[in-house]
Amino acid sequence: MSVLETLQRRAAAQPAHIVLSEGFDPRIVSAAVRAVDAGLGQVTLVGDTATVTEQLAAIGAAPSEALHIADPATSPLTTAVADTYLELRKHKGVTPETAQKQARDPMVFAAMLVRLGHADGTVGGAVATTSDTVRAALQVIGKAKDAALVSSFFLMVLPEGHASGCDAMIFSDSGLVIDPNSEELAAIAAQSAGSFAALLGATPKVAMLSFSTQGSARHPAVTKVADAAKLLREQHPDIASDGELQFDAAFDPDVGASKAKGSDVAGHANVMIFPNLDAGNIGYKIAQRVGGCAAIGPILQGLAKPANDLSRGCTADDVVHMIAVTALQAAALKERT
């Protein structure tokens, strides 16, 4: 069974209610129908009722007990959404009139359904920009109380039968935090380890990446990563981690054994923590475009409840995968609370 099939199987065992904020988009509608058919849980499509109904009919589907339409213009929940938004944002100068307008914004409406407990998670960004998607999540759902920051990762699925024997990794942060300091890097690493365990049901092994391996080079950029690795070990001794490590030492067992003798992580890492967004974003795109990896994300972590972003070039397959990811994040949150 492939990683993506396993992901969906695990999500179907813990079904959730996921809200899709772009119910007017054919890719989103197709994915919603497929997710329901796959048993991933309930799905709510946010949008104009007539438009969404028409999109469903075009693929031979219709609303059902598991597949809902929520129209912010007519929903009985819109008043509660506006009232809650006003309470959340009035310190920023938001007026009742602005709150009423924002309550009809699909991104805000979807995120508020999650905040108010009407759904377990939300997914958007097939049409909206990442900045708009993340802004709605941060303003409405907010950071988890125990999280140092909100960060992101990509789930990188390697080509089947890859010579390394590895089938999936997490690359973080590859989409959100531009230049984390040592404390933030350690927090991103801990979040990513938890995300790996939640999504794949396997033991994370974290590599703090650099252009140096265990002191082979000296530079403030190396020191930042080495300090982050030390903080991670001190704060989370239960997480298998090492650093600083070059990517080849983290990924290749022979190189790891040569460059980082005695390390239990070197050569076997599955959670790769990049020193900044430049490295993380470039790295995931090279792995995707040259290495043939499937890249699912950016997936957000550190929020009070799950909310995730899609690429504007996404396919219906990508959306189904993200629904499964969001459902698993929701299940992990329920287990913690």
Side-chain angles (χ1 to χ4, degrees), residues 179-186 208-233 242-245 274-276:
D179 190 18
N181 59 32
S182 295
E183 291 78 11
E184 290 169 333
L185 266 182
M208 309 298 288
L209 297 179
S210 174
F211 62 84
S212 168
T213 294
Q214 296 186 349
S216 64
R218 294 184 182 277
H219 188 276
V222 175
T223 302
K224 180 180 83 166
V225 176
D227 289 347
K230 181 181 178 182
L231 280 172
L232 180 63
R233 289 191 296 271
D242 202 355
E244 80 283 9
L245 295 172
F274 291 83
N276 55 42

PDB file of all heavy atoms in Angstrom, residues 179-186 208-233 242-245 274-276:
ATOM      1  N   ASP A 179      12.849  33.457   8.458  1.00  0.00           N
ATOM      2  CA  ASP A 179      14.201  33.338   9.015  1.00  0.00           C
ATOM      3  C   ASP A 179      14.121  33.047  10.514  1.00  0.00           C
ATOM      4  O   ASP A 179      14.373  33.924  11.345  1.00  0.00           O
ATOM      5  CB  ASP A 179      14.992  34.622   8.759  1.00  0.00           C
ATOM      6  CG  ASP A 179      16.470  34.480   9.097  1.00  0.00           C
ATOM      7  OD1 ASP A 179      16.946  33.335   9.201  1.00  0.00           O
ATOM      8  OD2 ASP A 179      17.140  35.519   9.262  1.00  0.00           O
ATOM      9  N   PRO A 180      13.784  31.823  10.883  1.00  0.00           N
ATOM     10  CA  PRO A 180      13.621  31.505  12.305  1.00  0.00           C
ATOM     11  C   PRO A 180      14.935  31.579  13.069  1.00  0.00           C
ATOM     12  O   PRO A 180      15.995  31.246  12.530  1.00  0.00           O
ATOM     13  CB  PRO A 180      13.085  30.063  12.274  1.00  0.00           C
ATOM     14  CG  PRO A 180      13.565  29.509  10.970  1.00  0.00           C
ATOM     15  CD  PRO A 180      13.559  30.662  10.015  1.00  0.00           C
ATOM     16  N   ASN A 181      14.860  32.021  14.334  1.00  0.00           N
ATOM     17  CA  ASN A 181      16.040  31.977  15.190  1.00  0.00           C
ATOM     18  C   ASN A 181      16.166  30.582  15.800  1.00  0.00           C
ATOM     19  O   ASN A 181      15.373  29.674  15.488  1.00  0.00           O
ATOM     20  CB  ASN A 181      15.975  33.064  16.270  1.00  0.00           C
ATOM     21  CG  ASN A 181      14.748  32.938  17.164  1.00  0.00           C
ATOM     22  OD1 ASN A 181      14.251  31.836  17.420  1.00  0.00           O
ATOM     23  ND2 ASN A 181      14.247  34.067  17.656  1.00  0.00           N
ATOM     24  N   SER A 182      17.140  30.383  16.651  1.00  0.00           N
ATOM     25  CA  SER A 182      17.390  29.048  17.198  1.00  0.00           C
ATOM     26  C   SER A 182      16.192  28.510  17.963  1.00  0.00           C
ATOM     27  O   SER A 182      15.819  27.331  17.821  1.00  0.00           O
ATOM     28  CB  SER A 182      18.620  29.076  18.112  1.00  0.00           C
ATOM     29  OG  SER A 182      19.779  29.379  17.376  1.00  0.00           O
ATOM     30  N   GLU A 183      15.574  29.367  18.793  1.00  0.00           N
ATOM     31  CA  GLU A 183      14.419  28.933  19.575  1.00  0.00           C
ATOM     32  C   GLU A 183      13.256  28.553  18.658  1.00  0.00           C
ATOM     33  O   GLU A 183      12.575  27.542  18.883  1.00  0.00           O
ATOM     34  CB  GLU A 183      13.975  30.043  20.538  1.00  0.00           C
ATOM     35  CG  GLU A 183      14.946  30.320  21.669  1.00  0.00           C
ATOM     36  CD  GLU A 183      16.149  31.155  21.237  1.00  0.00           C
ATOM     37  OE1 GLU A 183      16.132  31.700  20.104  1.00  0.00           O
ATOM     38  OE2 GLU A 183      17.107  31.264  22.018  1.00  0.00           O
ATOM     39  N   GLU A 184      13.049  29.347  17.625  1.00  0.00           N
ATOM     40  CA  GLU A 184      11.965  29.044  16.688  1.00  0.00           C
ATOM     41  C   GLU A 184      12.258  27.779  15.882  1.00  0.00           C
ATOM     42  O   GLU A 184      11.349  26.974  15.621  1.00  0.00           O
ATOM     43  CB  GLU A 184      11.746  30.241  15.770  1.00  0.00           C
ATOM     44  CG  GLU A 184      11.151  31.447  16.484  1.00  0.00           C
ATOM     45  CD  GLU A 184      11.185  32.715  15.656  1.00  0.00           C
ATOM     46  OE1 GLU A 184      12.082  32.837  14.790  1.00  0.00           O
ATOM     47  OE2 GLU A 184      10.327  33.587  15.870  1.00  0.00           O
ATOM     48  N   LEU A 185      13.515  27.598  15.490  1.00  0.00           N
ATOM     49  CA  LEU A 185      13.881  26.368  14.768  1.00  0.00           C
ATOM     50  C   LEU A 185      13.611  25.131  15.611  1.00  0.00           C
ATOM     51  O   LEU A 185      13.093  24.120  15.115  1.00  0.00           O
ATOM     52  CB  LEU A 185      15.364  26.398  14.385  1.00  0.00           C
ATOM     53  CG  LEU A 185      15.755  26.921  13.008  1.00  0.00           C
ATOM     54  CD1 LEU A 185      17.261  26.807  12.843  1.00  0.00           C
ATOM     55  CD2 LEU A 185      15.033  26.155  11.906  1.00  0.00           C
ATOM     56  N   ALA A 186      13.951  25.193  16.890  1.00  0.00           N
ATOM     57  CA  ALA A 186      13.697  24.062  17.783  1.00  0.00           C
ATOM     58  C   ALA A 186      12.205  23.795  17.901  1.00  0.00           C
ATOM     59  O   ALA A 186      11.767  22.632  17.907  1.00  0.00           O
ATOM     60  CB  ALA A 186      14.298  24.329  19.163  1.00  0.00           C
ATOM     61  N   MET A 208      18.474  18.464  11.923  1.00  0.00           N
ATOM     62  CA  MET A 208      18.582  19.918  11.832  1.00  0.00           C
ATOM     63  C   MET A 208      19.625  20.224  10.756  1.00  0.00           C
ATOM     64  O   MET A 208      20.830  20.009  10.956  1.00  0.00           O
ATOM     65  CB  MET A 208      18.991  20.511  13.178  1.00  0.00           C
ATOM     66  CG  MET A 208      18.135  20.060  14.355  1.00  0.00           C
ATOM     67  SD  MET A 208      16.405  20.541  14.206  1.00  0.00           S
ATOM     68  CE  MET A 208      16.525  22.304  14.490  1.00  0.00           C
ATOM     69  N   LEU A 209      19.178  20.695   9.613  1.00  0.00           N
ATOM     70  CA  LEU A 209      20.026  20.777   8.436  1.00  0.00           C
ATOM     71  C   LEU A 209      20.860  22.056   8.380  1.00  0.00           C
ATOM     72  O   LEU A 209      20.441  23.123   8.828  1.00  0.00           O
ATOM     73  CB  LEU A 209      19.169  20.687   7.174  1.00  0.00           C
ATOM     74  CG  LEU A 209      18.393  19.380   6.979  1.00  0.00           C
ATOM     75  CD1 LEU A 209      17.571  19.459   5.693  1.00  0.00           C
ATOM     76  CD2 LEU A 209      19.318  18.171   6.947  1.00  0.00           C
ATOM     77  N   SER A 210      22.042  21.908   7.782  1.00  0.00           N
ATOM     78  CA  SER A 210      22.978  23.018   7.626  1.00  0.00           C
ATOM     79  C   SER A 210      23.922  22.690   6.470  1.00  0.00           C
ATOM     80  O   SER A 210      23.823  21.612   5.867  1.00  0.00           O
ATOM     81  CB  SER A 210      23.769  23.209   8.926  1.00  0.00           C
ATOM     82  OG  SER A 210      24.782  24.176   8.780  1.00  0.00           O
ATOM     83  N   PHE A 211      24.841  23.610   6.165  1.00  0.00           N
ATOM     84  CA  PHE A 211      25.915  23.274   5.222  1.00  0.00           C
ATOM     85  C   PHE A 211      27.108  22.690   5.960  1.00  0.00           C
ATOM     86  O   PHE A 211      28.161  22.443   5.368  1.00  0.00           O
ATOM     87  CB  PHE A 211      26.330  24.500   4.393  1.00  0.00           C
ATOM     88  CG  PHE A 211      26.891  25.651   5.182  1.00  0.00           C
ATOM     89  CD1 PHE A 211      28.230  25.695   5.543  1.00  0.00           C
ATOM     90  CD2 PHE A 211      26.070  26.706   5.555  1.00  0.00           C
ATOM     91  CE1 PHE A 211      28.746  26.763   6.258  1.00  0.00           C
ATOM     92  CE2 PHE A 211      26.574  27.789   6.268  1.00  0.00           C
ATOM     93  CZ  PHE A 211      27.917  27.817   6.622  1.00  0.00           C
ATOM     94  N   SER A 212      26.935  22.405   7.247  1.00  0.00           N
ATOM     95  CA  SER A 212      27.982  21.824   8.088  1.00  0.00           C
ATOM     96  C   SER A 212      27.445  20.574   8.768  1.00  0.00           C
ATOM     97  O   SER A 212      26.246  20.459   9.041  1.00  0.00           O
ATOM     98  CB  SER A 212      28.409  22.850   9.146  1.00  0.00           C
ATOM     99  OG  SER A 212      29.209  22.259  10.152  1.00  0.00           O
ATOM    100  N   THR A 213      28.336  19.624   9.027  1.00  0.00           N
ATOM    101  CA  THR A 213      27.967  18.437   9.797  1.00  0.00           C
ATOM    102  C   THR A 213      28.832  18.367  11.049  1.00  0.00           C
ATOM    103  O   THR A 213      30.061  18.235  10.957  1.00  0.00           O
ATOM    104  CB  THR A 213      28.154  17.144   8.972  1.00  0.00           C
ATOM    105  OG1 THR A 213      27.216  17.153   7.886  1.00  0.00           O
ATOM    106  CG2 THR A 213      27.912  15.910   9.830  1.00  0.00           C
ATOM    107  N   GLN A 214      28.188  18.523  12.178  1.00  0.00           N
ATOM    108  CA  GLN A 214      28.841  18.384  13.488  1.00  0.00           C
ATOM    109  C   GLN A 214      30.167  19.143  13.567  1.00  0.00           C
ATOM    110  O   GLN A 214      31.218  18.588  13.901  1.00  0.00           O
ATOM    111  CB  GLN A 214      29.014  16.906  13.827  1.00  0.00           C
ATOM    112  CG  GLN A 214      27.678  16.185  13.995  1.00  0.00           C
ATOM    113  CD  GLN A 214      27.821  14.747  14.463  1.00  0.00           C
ATOM    114  OE1 GLN A 214      28.922  14.183  14.476  1.00  0.00           O
ATOM    115  NE2 GLN A 214      26.714  14.142  14.853  1.00  0.00           N
ATOM    116  N   GLY A 215      30.098  20.425  13.213  1.00  0.00           N
ATOM    117  CA  GLY A 215      31.261  21.281  13.375  1.00  0.00           C
ATOM    118  C   GLY A 215      32.239  21.302  12.232  1.00  0.00           C
ATOM    119  O   GLY A 215      33.349  21.841  12.385  1.00  0.00           O
ATOM    120  N   SER A 216      31.865  20.751  11.065  1.00  0.00           N
ATOM    121  CA  SER A 216      32.810  20.733   9.946  1.00  0.00           C
ATOM    122  C   SER A 216      33.048  22.119   9.367  1.00  0.00           C
ATOM    123  O   SER A 216      34.018  22.336   8.640  1.00  0.00           O
ATOM    124  CB  SER A 216      32.306  19.792   8.841  1.00  0.00           C
ATOM    125  OG  SER A 216      31.089  20.264   8.279  1.00  0.00           O
ATOM    126  N   ALA A 217      32.149  23.071   9.651  1.00  0.00           N
ATOM    127  CA  ALA A 217      32.343  24.456   9.217  1.00  0.00           C
ATOM    128  C   ALA A 217      31.956  25.387  10.362  1.00  0.00           C
ATOM    129  O   ALA A 217      31.173  25.023  11.243  1.00  0.00           O
ATOM    130  CB  ALA A 217      31.496  24.751   7.982  1.00  0.00           C
ATOM    131  N   ARG A 218      32.514  26.582  10.338  1.00  0.00           N
ATOM    132  CA  ARG A 218      32.214  27.570  11.377  1.00  0.00           C
ATOM    133  C   ARG A 218      31.631  28.825  10.725  1.00  0.00           C
ATOM    134  O   ARG A 218      32.221  29.400   9.810  1.00  0.00           O
ATOM    135  CB  ARG A 218      33.481  27.927  12.164  1.00  0.00           C
ATOM    136  CG  ARG A 218      34.038  26.768  12.965  1.00  0.00           C
ATOM    137  CD  ARG A 218      35.238  27.181  13.817  1.00  0.00           C
ATOM    138  NE  ARG A 218      35.782  26.062  14.546  1.00  0.00           N
ATOM    139  CZ  ARG A 218      35.314  25.604  15.696  1.00  0.00           C
ATOM    140  NH1 ARG A 218      34.255  26.189  16.256  1.00  0.00           N
ATOM    141  NH2 ARG A 218      35.881  24.575  16.300  1.00  0.00           N
ATOM    142  N   HIS A 219      30.456  29.218  11.209  1.00  0.00           N
ATOM    143  CA  HIS A 219      29.779  30.400  10.685  1.00  0.00           C
ATOM    144  C   HIS A 219      28.575  30.658  11.588  1.00  0.00           C
ATOM    145  O   HIS A 219      28.025  29.719  12.177  1.00  0.00           O
ATOM    146  CB  HIS A 219      29.305  30.160   9.237  1.00  0.00           C
ATOM    147  CG  HIS A 219      28.780  31.394   8.564  1.00  0.00           C
ATOM    148  ND1 HIS A 219      27.471  31.831   8.709  1.00  0.00           N
ATOM    149  CD2 HIS A 219      29.385  32.287   7.738  1.00  0.00           C
ATOM    150  CE1 HIS A 219      27.300  32.935   8.009  1.00  0.00           C
ATOM    151  NE2 HIS A 219      28.447  33.230   7.409  1.00  0.00           N
ATOM    152  N   PRO A 220      28.164  31.918  11.740  1.00  0.00           N
ATOM    153  CA  PRO A 220      26.976  32.196  12.559  1.00  0.00           C
ATOM    154  C   PRO A 220      25.748  31.414  12.119  1.00  0.00           C
ATOM    155  O   PRO A 220      24.916  31.029  12.962  1.00  0.00           O
ATOM    156  CB  PRO A 220      26.777  33.709  12.373  1.00  0.00           C
ATOM    157  CG  PRO A 220      28.150  34.235  12.112  1.00  0.00           C
ATOM    158  CD  PRO A 220      28.845  33.172  11.317  1.00  0.00           C
ATOM    159  N   ALA A 221      25.613  31.150  10.816  1.00  0.00           N
ATOM    160  CA  ALA A 221      24.469  30.375  10.345  1.00  0.00           C
ATOM    161  C   ALA A 221      24.524  28.933  10.848  1.00  0.00           C
ATOM    162  O   ALA A 221      23.493  28.320  11.142  1.00  0.00           O
ATOM    163  CB  ALA A 221      24.417  30.393   8.817  1.00  0.00           C
ATOM    164  N   VAL A 222      25.725  28.403  10.958  1.00  0.00           N
ATOM    165  CA  VAL A 222      25.899  27.051  11.501  1.00  0.00           C
ATOM    166  C   VAL A 222      25.608  27.051  12.995  1.00  0.00           C
ATOM    167  O   VAL A 222      24.940  26.154  13.518  1.00  0.00           O
ATOM    168  CB  VAL A 222      27.324  26.539  11.219  1.00  0.00           C
ATOM    169  CG1 VAL A 222      27.542  25.189  11.897  1.00  0.00           C
ATOM    170  CG2 VAL A 222      27.574  26.435   9.723  1.00  0.00           C
ATOM    171  N   THR A 223      26.106  28.051  13.678  1.00  0.00           N
ATOM    172  CA  THR A 223      25.883  28.162  15.124  1.00  0.00           C
ATOM    173  C   THR A 223      24.396  28.205  15.447  1.00  0.00           C
ATOM    174  O   THR A 223      23.942  27.583  16.418  1.00  0.00           O
ATOM    175  CB  THR A 223      26.573  29.420  15.672  1.00  0.00           C
ATOM    176  OG1 THR A 223      27.973  29.353  15.385  1.00  0.00           O
ATOM    177  CG2 THR A 223      26.379  29.543  17.177  1.00  0.00           C
ATOM    178  N   LYS A 224      23.620  28.920  14.633  1.00  0.00           N
ATOM    179  CA  LYS A 224      22.177  28.990  14.844  1.00  0.00           C
ATOM    180  C   LYS A 224      21.554  27.597  14.830  1.00  0.00           C
ATOM    181  O   LYS A 224      20.742  27.249  15.695  1.00  0.00           O
ATOM    182  CB  LYS A 224      21.519  29.860  13.766  1.00  0.00           C
ATOM    183  CG  LYS A 224      20.006  29.971  13.927  1.00  0.00           C
ATOM    184  CD  LYS A 224      19.361  30.825  12.848  1.00  0.00           C
ATOM    185  CE  LYS A 224      19.105  30.064  11.576  1.00  0.00           C
ATOM    186  NZ  LYS A 224      18.177  30.804  10.662  1.00  0.00           N
ATOM    187  N   VAL A 225      21.929  26.785  13.864  1.00  0.00           N
ATOM    188  CA  VAL A 225      21.364  25.440  13.744  1.00  0.00           C
ATOM    189  C   VAL A 225      21.855  24.542  14.879  1.00  0.00           C
ATOM    190  O   VAL A 225      21.080  23.776  15.457  1.00  0.00           O
ATOM    191  CB  VAL A 225      21.700  24.837  12.370  1.00  0.00           C
ATOM    192  CG1 VAL A 225      21.189  23.397  12.277  1.00  0.00           C
ATOM    193  CG2 VAL A 225      21.093  25.677  11.253  1.00  0.00           C
ATOM    194  N   ALA A 226      23.139  24.639  15.198  1.00  0.00           N
ATOM    195  CA  ALA A 226      23.684  23.824  16.290  1.00  0.00           C
ATOM    196  C   ALA A 226      23.007  24.170  17.616  1.00  0.00           C
ATOM    197  O   ALA A 226      22.678  23.273  18.414  1.00  0.00           O
ATOM    198  CB  ALA A 226      25.193  24.034  16.393  1.00  0.00           C
ATOM    199  N   ASP A 227      22.771  25.453  17.851  1.00  0.00           N
ATOM    200  CA  ASP A 227      22.077  25.872  19.070  1.00  0.00           C
ATOM    201  C   ASP A 227      20.639  25.345  19.087  1.00  0.00           C
ATOM    202  O   ASP A 227      20.126  24.929  20.138  1.00  0.00           O
ATOM    203  CB  ASP A 227      22.072  27.398  19.180  1.00  0.00           C
ATOM    204  CG  ASP A 227      23.439  27.978  19.508  1.00  0.00           C
ATOM    205  OD1 ASP A 227      24.337  27.190  19.893  1.00  0.00           O
ATOM    206  OD2 ASP A 227      23.614  29.203  19.379  1.00  0.00           O
ATOM    207  N   ALA A 228      19.983  25.382  17.928  1.00  0.00           N
ATOM    208  CA  ALA A 228      18.620  24.865  17.840  1.00  0.00           C
ATOM    209  C   ALA A 228      18.587  23.364  18.125  1.00  0.00           C
ATOM    210  O   ALA A 228      17.686  22.866  18.817  1.00  0.00           O
ATOM    211  CB  ALA A 228      18.042  25.144  16.452  1.00  0.00           C
ATOM    212  N   ALA A 229      19.569  22.643  17.599  1.00  0.00           N
ATOM    213  CA  ALA A 229      19.638  21.197  17.847  1.00  0.00           C
ATOM    214  C   ALA A 229      19.824  20.909  19.332  1.00  0.00           C
ATOM    215  O   ALA A 229      19.212  19.985  19.892  1.00  0.00           O
ATOM    216  CB  ALA A 229      20.779  20.587  17.038  1.00  0.00           C
ATOM    217  N   LYS A 230      20.660  21.710  19.989  1.00  0.00           N
ATOM    218  CA  LYS A 230      20.873  21.541  21.430  1.00  0.00           C
ATOM    219  C   LYS A 230      19.589  21.822  22.210  1.00  0.00           C
ATOM    220  O   LYS A 230      19.219  21.059  23.121  1.00  0.00           O
ATOM    221  CB  LYS A 230      21.988  22.471  21.896  1.00  0.00           C
ATOM    222  CG  LYS A 230      22.308  22.345  23.387  1.00  0.00           C
ATOM    223  CD  LYS A 230      23.417  23.310  23.782  1.00  0.00           C
ATOM    224  CE  LYS A 230      23.698  23.215  25.289  1.00  0.00           C
ATOM    225  NZ  LYS A 230      24.740  24.192  25.705  1.00  0.00           N
ATOM    226  N   LEU A 231      18.893  22.888  21.851  1.00  0.00           N
ATOM    227  CA  LEU A 231      17.626  23.216  22.508  1.00  0.00           C
ATOM    228  C   LEU A 231      16.604  22.104  22.325  1.00  0.00           C
ATOM    229  O   LEU A 231      15.885  21.739  23.269  1.00  0.00           O
ATOM    230  CB  LEU A 231      17.061  24.517  21.928  1.00  0.00           C
ATOM    231  CG  LEU A 231      17.638  25.827  22.434  1.00  0.00           C
ATOM    232  CD1 LEU A 231      17.098  26.991  21.616  1.00  0.00           C
ATOM    233  CD2 LEU A 231      17.298  26.018  23.916  1.00  0.00           C
ATOM    234  N   LEU A 232      16.528  21.566  21.126  1.00  0.00           N
ATOM    235  CA  LEU A 232      15.576  20.489  20.850  1.00  0.00           C
ATOM    236  C   LEU A 232      15.860  19.282  21.723  1.00  0.00           C
ATOM    237  O   LEU A 232      14.935  18.677  22.294  1.00  0.00           O
ATOM    238  CB  LEU A 232      15.630  20.110  19.369  1.00  0.00           C
ATOM    239  CG  LEU A 232      14.674  18.988  18.933  1.00  0.00           C
ATOM    240  CD1 LEU A 232      13.216  19.397  19.129  1.00  0.00           C
ATOM    241  CD2 LEU A 232      14.932  18.615  17.468  1.00  0.00           C
ATOM    242  N   ARG A 233      17.133  18.918  21.846  1.00  0.00           N
ATOM    243  CA  ARG A 233      17.496  17.765  22.687  1.00  0.00           C
ATOM    244  C   ARG A 233      17.143  18.029  24.153  1.00  0.00           C
ATOM    245  O   ARG A 233      16.673  17.128  24.862  1.00  0.00           O
ATOM    246  CB  ARG A 233      18.978  17.447  22.550  1.00  0.00           C
ATOM    247  CG  ARG A 233      19.369  16.843  21.208  1.00  0.00           C
ATOM    248  CD  ARG A 233      20.788  16.297  21.229  1.00  0.00           C
ATOM    249  NE  ARG A 233      21.788  17.356  21.440  1.00  0.00           N
ATOM    250  CZ  ARG A 233      22.353  18.045  20.456  1.00  0.00           C
ATOM    251  NH1 ARG A 233      22.023  17.807  19.202  1.00  0.00           N
ATOM    252  NH2 ARG A 233      23.268  18.968  20.720  1.00  0.00           N
ATOM    253  N   ASP A 242      19.217  15.019  15.688  1.00  0.00           N
ATOM    254  CA  ASP A 242      20.650  15.294  15.614  1.00  0.00           C
ATOM    255  C   ASP A 242      20.862  16.535  14.751  1.00  0.00           C
ATOM    256  O   ASP A 242      20.010  16.913  13.952  1.00  0.00           O
ATOM    257  CB  ASP A 242      21.413  14.105  15.020  1.00  0.00           C
ATOM    258  CG  ASP A 242      22.897  14.118  15.401  1.00  0.00           C
ATOM    259  OD1 ASP A 242      23.344  15.093  16.044  1.00  0.00           O
ATOM    260  OD2 ASP A 242      23.607  13.156  15.048  1.00  0.00           O
ATOM    261  N   GLY A 243      21.996  17.151  14.922  1.00  0.00           N
ATOM    262  CA  GLY A 243      22.326  18.329  14.152  1.00  0.00           C
ATOM    263  C   GLY A 243      23.489  19.064  14.788  1.00  0.00           C
ATOM    264  O   GLY A 243      23.791  18.829  15.954  1.00  0.00           O
ATOM    265  N   GLU A 244      24.183  19.873  13.990  1.00  0.00           N
ATOM    266  CA  GLU A 244      23.785  20.174  12.636  1.00  0.00           C
ATOM    267  C   GLU A 244      24.284  19.098  11.674  1.00  0.00           C
ATOM    268  O   GLU A 244      25.354  18.525  11.874  1.00  0.00           O
ATOM    269  CB  GLU A 244      24.307  21.554  12.203  1.00  0.00           C
ATOM    270  CG  GLU A 244      25.788  21.621  11.766  1.00  0.00           C
ATOM    271  CD  GLU A 244      26.829  21.605  12.877  1.00  0.00           C
ATOM    272  OE1 GLU A 244      26.491  21.366  14.060  1.00  0.00           O
ATOM    273  OE2 GLU A 244      28.001  21.803  12.583  1.00  0.00           O
ATOM    274  N   LEU A 245      23.486  18.845  10.620  1.00  0.00           N
ATOM    275  CA  LEU A 245      23.806  17.822   9.636  1.00  0.00           C
ATOM    276  C   LEU A 245      23.593  18.375   8.227  1.00  0.00           C
ATOM    277  O   LEU A 245      22.621  19.088   7.977  1.00  0.00           O
ATOM    278  CB  LEU A 245      22.901  16.591   9.797  1.00  0.00           C
ATOM    279  CG  LEU A 245      23.019  15.760  11.076  1.00  0.00           C
ATOM    280  CD1 LEU A 245      21.911  14.721  11.112  1.00  0.00           C
ATOM    281  CD2 LEU A 245      24.382  15.084  11.160  1.00  0.00           C
ATOM    282  N   PHE A 274      14.897  22.739   7.841  1.00  0.00           N
ATOM    283  CA  PHE A 274      15.770  23.641   7.090  1.00  0.00           C
ATOM    284  C   PHE A 274      16.050  24.909   7.897  1.00  0.00           C
ATOM    285  O   PHE A 274      15.209  25.352   8.675  1.00  0.00           O
ATOM    286  CB  PHE A 274      15.124  23.993   5.748  1.00  0.00           C
ATOM    287  CG  PHE A 274      15.061  22.827   4.798  1.00  0.00           C
ATOM    288  CD1 PHE A 274      14.025  21.900   4.878  1.00  0.00           C
ATOM    289  CD2 PHE A 274      16.040  22.643   3.840  1.00  0.00           C
ATOM    290  CE1 PHE A 274      13.960  20.815   4.015  1.00  0.00           C
ATOM    291  CE2 PHE A 274      15.986  21.563   2.969  1.00  0.00           C
ATOM    292  CZ  PHE A 274      14.952  20.639   3.060  1.00  0.00           C
ATOM    293  N   PRO A 275      17.221  25.522   7.707  1.00  0.00           N
ATOM    294  CA  PRO A 275      17.603  26.665   8.540  1.00  0.00           C
ATOM    295  C   PRO A 275      16.818  27.937   8.258  1.00  0.00           C
ATOM    296  O   PRO A 275      16.742  28.813   9.115  1.00  0.00           O
ATOM    297  CB  PRO A 275      19.087  26.856   8.228  1.00  0.00           C
ATOM    298  CG  PRO A 275      19.273  26.241   6.881  1.00  0.00           C
ATOM    299  CD  PRO A 275      18.326  25.085   6.827  1.00  0.00           C
ATOM    300  N   ASN A 276      16.222  28.039   7.064  1.00  0.00           N
ATOM    301  CA  ASN A 276      15.418  29.215   6.731  1.00  0.00           C
ATOM    302  C   ASN A 276      14.513  28.876   5.553  1.00  0.00           C
ATOM    303  O   ASN A 276      14.598  27.786   4.977  1.00  0.00           O
ATOM    304  CB  ASN A 276      16.293  30.438   6.414  1.00  0.00           C
ATOM    305  CG  ASN A 276      17.305  30.158   5.315  1.00  0.00           C
ATOM    306  OD1 ASN A 276      16.993  29.516   4.311  1.00  0.00           O
ATOM    307  ND2 ASN A 276      18.537  30.625   5.500  1.00  0.00           N
TER     308      ASN A 276
END
